[in-house]
Amino acid sequence: MIQTIFKRLLQTIPMLFIISLVSFALVQLAPGDPITSFVTPNMNPDDVERIRQSLGLDQPIYVQYFKWLANVLQGNFGYSLINNQPVLGQIIERLPATIGLMGTALFFTLLLSIPLGLVAAAYENTRLDRVLNAVSYIGISIPIFWFAMILIDVFSVQLGWLPSLGMRTIGVESFWDVVKHAILPVTALTFQGCASYYRYVRSNTINQLKEEYVLFGYAKGLSKAQIMRHHVLKNSLLPVITLLGMYLPQIITGAFITESVFSWPGMGSLGINAIFQLDYPMIMAITMFSALLLIIGNLLADIAYTIIDPRIREVS
């Protein structure tokens, strides 16, 4: 197991290098010029060129890349082209808001989707199963930004129960105020997440209920609830582990669309602003963090597989 983990960690080095190379090229070749935010209509062309030189954008792409790579290897992700603040400092500042939002949404997603998927599979083709399937289809089909705007219109504009934007009310520092601001974005993320997780749990549970160990459990006199709780549940969670591994980058990098709609001051809104303003250092930092976390998430999912399923442990 330790050797496998060590090999996987070594494999991340060339993978991250290739990802950084491709990402840097794509960002640089994207249409637009980041210095347009510094240029005024009456600015002298020589001043524009000096700005370009001060930002290091006058050099060839490969020179810019290797300078960026050398700085990253030293733990320096550079400075934002927009506000001239350290990229790493801005990311650390935004992390708590994103982790709180995405972690809460993930908690409620698992809390709802796993039992609902088990129940729907246990009562397959019943009215309850059909209702839950219909709701999950709706959750998968509708765009999250549209659902988020519906939530804002109903609960903020029409009813006035909850705030629609931001993380805090100006001048209010209470925890309950943060909770009220988080209810709508967490609801939007949970609804979409439950729709996906529920279908994976339901599908895998239905397959598990057809296995011979379930029939053996009935033959031993175990009840359906006992079989579901002690045997089927563990085997049904294997695909959920894969989803959790893929979800790990979002816990750190945030939900770009949802955070933008609700003006949540997290990593998602920071990434969107960086993309619109062509803030190359910020875009690259968020991209590399996301790639690294995706690789780590897949590694943790593989480790969890071997812990939960002894058969995988024996093969490996």
Side-chain angles (χ1 to χ4, degrees):
M1 173 63 70
I2 297 178
Q3 291 181 348
T4 302
I5 295 175
F6 184 72
K7 290 180 181 178
R8 291 286 297 273
L9 291 176
L10 288 179
Q11 291 173 359
T12 62
I13 297 176
M15 291 176 63
L16 289 175
F17 174 75
I18 295 174
I19 292 172
S20 67
L21 188 62
V22 174
S23 300
F24 196 90
L26 291 176
V27 169
Q28 293 284 340
L29 295 174
D33 193 341
I35 69 168
T36 54
S37 58
F38 300 94
V39 176
T40 60
N42 299 323
M43 184 173 288
N44 190 292
D46 294 335
D47 294 332
V48 176
E49 188 60 27
R50 277 194 291 271
I51 294 175
R52 190 182 301 277
Q53 292 176 0
S54 66
L55 296 176
L57 300 176
D58 61 318
Q59 300 172 335
I61 293 180
Y62 67 90
V63 175
Q64 296 182 45
Y65 171 75
F66 284 110
K67 283 187 175 182
W68 172 85
L69 183 60
N71 290 329
V72 168
L73 293 177
Q74 299 175 19
N76 178 17
F77 286 88
Y79 290 81
S80 169
L81 299 182
I82 305 304
N83 53 31
N84 203 33
Q85 298 296 317
V87 168
L88 189 59
Q90 295 182 68
I91 290 176
I92 294 175
E93 183 182 357
R94 297 289 189 108
L95 271 180
T98 293
I99 292 175
L101 178 67
M102 303 303 294
T104 304
L106 177 62
F107 171 76
F108 284 108
T109 296
L110 297 177
L111 184 66
L112 295 173
S113 61
I114 292 176
L116 289 177
L118 291 172
V119 170
Y123 298 96
E124 184 183 6
N125 295 326
T126 63
R127 181 177 299 178
L128 175 62
D129 182 35
R130 289 193 290 270
V131 170
L132 291 175
N133 282 337
V135 175
S136 70
Y137 280 127
I138 294 174
I140 294 174
S141 302
I142 63 175
I144 191 170
F145 71 87
W146 180 85
F147 183 64
M149 290 189 290
I150 293 297
L151 291 177
I152 292 175
D153 181 64
V154 174
F155 294 100
S156 296
V157 178
Q158 302 296 332
L159 299 176
W161 290 352
L162 297 168
S164 59
L165 301 175
M167 182 177 170
R168 293 182 182 274
T169 303
I170 298 177
V172 180
E173 298 294 333
S174 67
F175 174 74
W176 174 240
D177 182 64
V178 177
V179 171
K180 289 194 297 183
H181 281 80
I183 289 176
L184 292 184
V186 167
T187 301
L189 291 169
T190 301
F191 182 68
Q192 186 185 57
C194 277
S196 300
Y197 280 68
Y198 158 82
R199 297 203 60 80
Y200 279 99
V201 174
R202 177 185 178 275
S203 176
N204 201 43
T205 303
I206 290 175
N207 292 331
Q208 292 298 319
L209 289 174
K210 299 176 182 178
E211 296 291 335
E212 293 183 356
Y213 72 86
V214 175
L215 297 177
F216 182 72
Y218 284 124
K220 289 175 59 178
L222 298 178
S223 65
K224 190 173 188 177
Q226 290 175 321
I227 294 174
M228 295 290 292
R229 184 170 60 252
H230 297 295
H231 302 285
V232 175
L233 174 61
K234 183 171 66 174
N235 293 324
S236 299
L237 292 183
L238 290 178
V240 176
I241 295 174
T242 302
L243 294 177
L244 290 177
M246 298 174 64
Y247 190 85
L248 181 60
Q250 295 186 34
I251 295 181
I252 305 299
T253 58
F256 281 49
I257 297 176
T258 305
E259 289 190 11
S260 298
V261 172
F262 290 100
S263 297
W264 189 264
M267 289 288 296
S269 56
L270 181 66
I272 285 290
N273 292 333
I275 293 172
F276 284 140
Q277 297 173 345
L278 295 177
D279 191 349
Y280 297 156
M282 185 66 70
I283 296 174
M284 286 301 302
I286 294 176
T287 301
M288 296 310 298
F289 271 120
S290 179
L292 178 61
L293 290 169
L294 182 60
I295 295 171
I296 294 175
N298 288 331
L299 176 59
L300 294 177
D302 291 342
I303 295 173
Y305 272 136
T306 61
I307 295 174
I308 292 178
D309 195 338
R311 296 170 298 180
I312 300 177
R313 194 182 316 156
E314 292 173 0
V315 172
S316 60

PDB file of all heavy atoms in Angstrom, residues 279-291:
ATOM      1  N   ASP A 279      -6.295  37.821 -15.450  1.00  0.00           N
ATOM      2  CA  ASP A 279      -5.267  37.855 -14.414  1.00  0.00           C
ATOM      3  C   ASP A 279      -4.504  36.532 -14.450  1.00  0.00           C
ATOM      4  O   ASP A 279      -4.841  35.580 -13.742  1.00  0.00           O
ATOM      5  CB  ASP A 279      -5.930  38.076 -13.046  1.00  0.00           C
ATOM      6  CG  ASP A 279      -4.928  38.397 -11.959  1.00  0.00           C
ATOM      7  OD1 ASP A 279      -3.717  38.246 -12.205  1.00  0.00           O
ATOM      8  OD2 ASP A 279      -5.352  38.797 -10.858  1.00  0.00           O
ATOM      9  N   TYR A 280      -3.470  36.473 -15.286  1.00  0.00           N
ATOM     10  CA  TYR A 280      -2.768  35.228 -15.548  1.00  0.00           C
ATOM     11  C   TYR A 280      -2.240  34.535 -14.291  1.00  0.00           C
ATOM     12  O   TYR A 280      -2.444  33.320 -14.118  1.00  0.00           O
ATOM     13  CB  TYR A 280      -1.604  35.468 -16.520  1.00  0.00           C
ATOM     14  CG  TYR A 280      -2.009  35.954 -17.891  1.00  0.00           C
ATOM     15  CD1 TYR A 280      -1.129  36.679 -18.693  1.00  0.00           C
ATOM     16  CD2 TYR A 280      -3.279  35.683 -18.396  1.00  0.00           C
ATOM     17  CE1 TYR A 280      -1.495  37.125 -19.957  1.00  0.00           C
ATOM     18  CE2 TYR A 280      -3.654  36.122 -19.649  1.00  0.00           C
ATOM     19  CZ  TYR A 280      -2.760  36.847 -20.431  1.00  0.00           C
ATOM     20  OH  TYR A 280      -3.140  37.271 -21.665  1.00  0.00           O
ATOM     21  N   PRO A 281      -1.538  35.212 -13.396  1.00  0.00           N
ATOM     22  CA  PRO A 281      -1.028  34.515 -12.204  1.00  0.00           C
ATOM     23  C   PRO A 281      -2.131  33.899 -11.345  1.00  0.00           C
ATOM     24  O   PRO A 281      -1.978  32.785 -10.828  1.00  0.00           O
ATOM     25  CB  PRO A 281      -0.279  35.623 -11.443  1.00  0.00           C
ATOM     26  CG  PRO A 281       0.077  36.622 -12.490  1.00  0.00           C
ATOM     27  CD  PRO A 281      -1.058  36.609 -13.449  1.00  0.00           C
ATOM     28  N   MET A 282      -3.235  34.610 -11.190  1.00  0.00           N
ATOM     29  CA  MET A 282      -4.341  34.086 -10.382  1.00  0.00           C
ATOM     30  C   MET A 282      -4.987  32.879 -11.054  1.00  0.00           C
ATOM     31  O   MET A 282      -5.294  31.869 -10.396  1.00  0.00           O
ATOM     32  CB  MET A 282      -5.389  35.179 -10.149  1.00  0.00           C
ATOM     33  CG  MET A 282      -6.530  34.765  -9.226  1.00  0.00           C
ATOM     34  SD  MET A 282      -5.964  34.467  -7.546  1.00  0.00           S
ATOM     35  CE  MET A 282      -5.582  36.150  -7.038  1.00  0.00           C
ATOM     36  N   ILE A 283      -5.189  32.959 -12.362  1.00  0.00           N
ATOM     37  CA  ILE A 283      -5.786  31.835 -13.092  1.00  0.00           C
ATOM     38  C   ILE A 283      -4.907  30.594 -12.969  1.00  0.00           C
ATOM     39  O   ILE A 283      -5.392  29.486 -12.715  1.00  0.00           O
ATOM     40  CB  ILE A 283      -5.994  32.204 -14.575  1.00  0.00           C
ATOM     41  CG1 ILE A 283      -7.009  33.338 -14.705  1.00  0.00           C
ATOM     42  CG2 ILE A 283      -6.458  30.985 -15.369  1.00  0.00           C
ATOM     43  CD1 ILE A 283      -7.153  33.857 -16.122  1.00  0.00           C
ATOM     44  N   MET A 284      -3.608  30.770 -13.125  1.00  0.00           N
ATOM     45  CA  MET A 284      -2.694  29.627 -13.063  1.00  0.00           C
ATOM     46  C   MET A 284      -2.660  29.036 -11.659  1.00  0.00           C
ATOM     47  O   MET A 284      -2.622  27.810 -11.489  1.00  0.00           O
ATOM     48  CB  MET A 284      -1.296  30.056 -13.486  1.00  0.00           C
ATOM     49  CG  MET A 284      -1.143  30.287 -14.975  1.00  0.00           C
ATOM     50  SD  MET A 284      -1.542  28.817 -15.957  1.00  0.00           S
ATOM     51  CE  MET A 284      -0.373  27.637 -15.289  1.00  0.00           C
ATOM     52  N   ALA A 285      -2.675  29.882 -10.642  1.00  0.00           N
ATOM     53  CA  ALA A 285      -2.637  29.373  -9.265  1.00  0.00           C
ATOM     54  C   ALA A 285      -3.873  28.541  -8.964  1.00  0.00           C
ATOM     55  O   ALA A 285      -3.780  27.435  -8.413  1.00  0.00           O
ATOM     56  CB  ALA A 285      -2.519  30.542  -8.289  1.00  0.00           C
ATOM     57  N   ILE A 286      -5.051  29.042  -9.327  1.00  0.00           N
ATOM     58  CA  ILE A 286      -6.286  28.305  -9.063  1.00  0.00           C
ATOM     59  C   ILE A 286      -6.335  27.023  -9.882  1.00  0.00           C
ATOM     60  O   ILE A 286      -6.773  25.970  -9.395  1.00  0.00           O
ATOM     61  CB  ILE A 286      -7.505  29.198  -9.368  1.00  0.00           C
ATOM     62  CG1 ILE A 286      -7.541  30.376  -8.386  1.00  0.00           C
ATOM     63  CG2 ILE A 286      -8.803  28.406  -9.289  1.00  0.00           C
ATOM     64  CD1 ILE A 286      -8.661  31.367  -8.655  1.00  0.00           C
ATOM     65  N   THR A 287      -5.857  27.067 -11.133  1.00  0.00           N
ATOM     66  CA  THR A 287      -5.839  25.879 -11.975  1.00  0.00           C
ATOM     67  C   THR A 287      -4.936  24.800 -11.388  1.00  0.00           C
ATOM     68  O   THR A 287      -5.307  23.616 -11.329  1.00  0.00           O
ATOM     69  CB  THR A 287      -5.351  26.231 -13.387  1.00  0.00           C
ATOM     70  OG1 THR A 287      -6.224  27.207 -13.957  1.00  0.00           O
ATOM     71  CG2 THR A 287      -5.335  24.999 -14.274  1.00  0.00           C
ATOM     72  N   MET A 288      -3.762  25.189 -10.918  1.00  0.00           N
ATOM     73  CA  MET A 288      -2.824  24.209 -10.370  1.00  0.00           C
ATOM     74  C   MET A 288      -3.323  23.640  -9.047  1.00  0.00           C
ATOM     75  O   MET A 288      -3.161  22.452  -8.779  1.00  0.00           O
ATOM     76  CB  MET A 288      -1.453  24.847 -10.193  1.00  0.00           C
ATOM     77  CG  MET A 288      -0.786  25.279 -11.500  1.00  0.00           C
ATOM     78  SD  MET A 288      -0.785  23.982 -12.772  1.00  0.00           S
ATOM     79  CE  MET A 288       0.193  22.726 -11.971  1.00  0.00           C
ATOM     80  N   PHE A 289      -3.927  24.484  -8.206  1.00  0.00           N
ATOM     81  CA  PHE A 289      -4.509  23.984  -6.969  1.00  0.00           C
ATOM     82  C   PHE A 289      -5.597  22.958  -7.270  1.00  0.00           C
ATOM     83  O   PHE A 289      -5.682  21.903  -6.640  1.00  0.00           O
ATOM     84  CB  PHE A 289      -5.097  25.143  -6.150  1.00  0.00           C
ATOM     85  CG  PHE A 289      -4.103  25.778  -5.224  1.00  0.00           C
ATOM     86  CD1 PHE A 289      -3.788  27.121  -5.344  1.00  0.00           C
ATOM     87  CD2 PHE A 289      -3.478  25.044  -4.229  1.00  0.00           C
ATOM     88  CE1 PHE A 289      -2.867  27.722  -4.510  1.00  0.00           C
ATOM     89  CE2 PHE A 289      -2.551  25.632  -3.381  1.00  0.00           C
ATOM     90  CZ  PHE A 289      -2.246  26.975  -3.515  1.00  0.00           C
ATOM     91  N   SER A 290      -6.435  23.280  -8.248  1.00  0.00           N
ATOM     92  CA  SER A 290      -7.519  22.375  -8.607  1.00  0.00           C
ATOM     93  C   SER A 290      -6.982  21.055  -9.144  1.00  0.00           C
ATOM     94  O   SER A 290      -7.472  19.977  -8.782  1.00  0.00           O
ATOM     95  CB  SER A 290      -8.423  23.044  -9.647  1.00  0.00           C
ATOM     96  OG  SER A 290      -9.473  22.185 -10.029  1.00  0.00           O
ATOM     97  N   ALA A 291      -5.969  21.114 -10.003  1.00  0.00           N
ATOM     98  CA  ALA A 291      -5.396  19.886 -10.570  1.00  0.00           C
ATOM     99  C   ALA A 291      -4.754  19.035  -9.490  1.00  0.00           C
ATOM    100  O   ALA A 291      -4.920  17.809  -9.457  1.00  0.00           O
ATOM    101  CB  ALA A 291      -4.368  20.247 -11.646  1.00  0.00           C
TER     102      ALA A 291
END
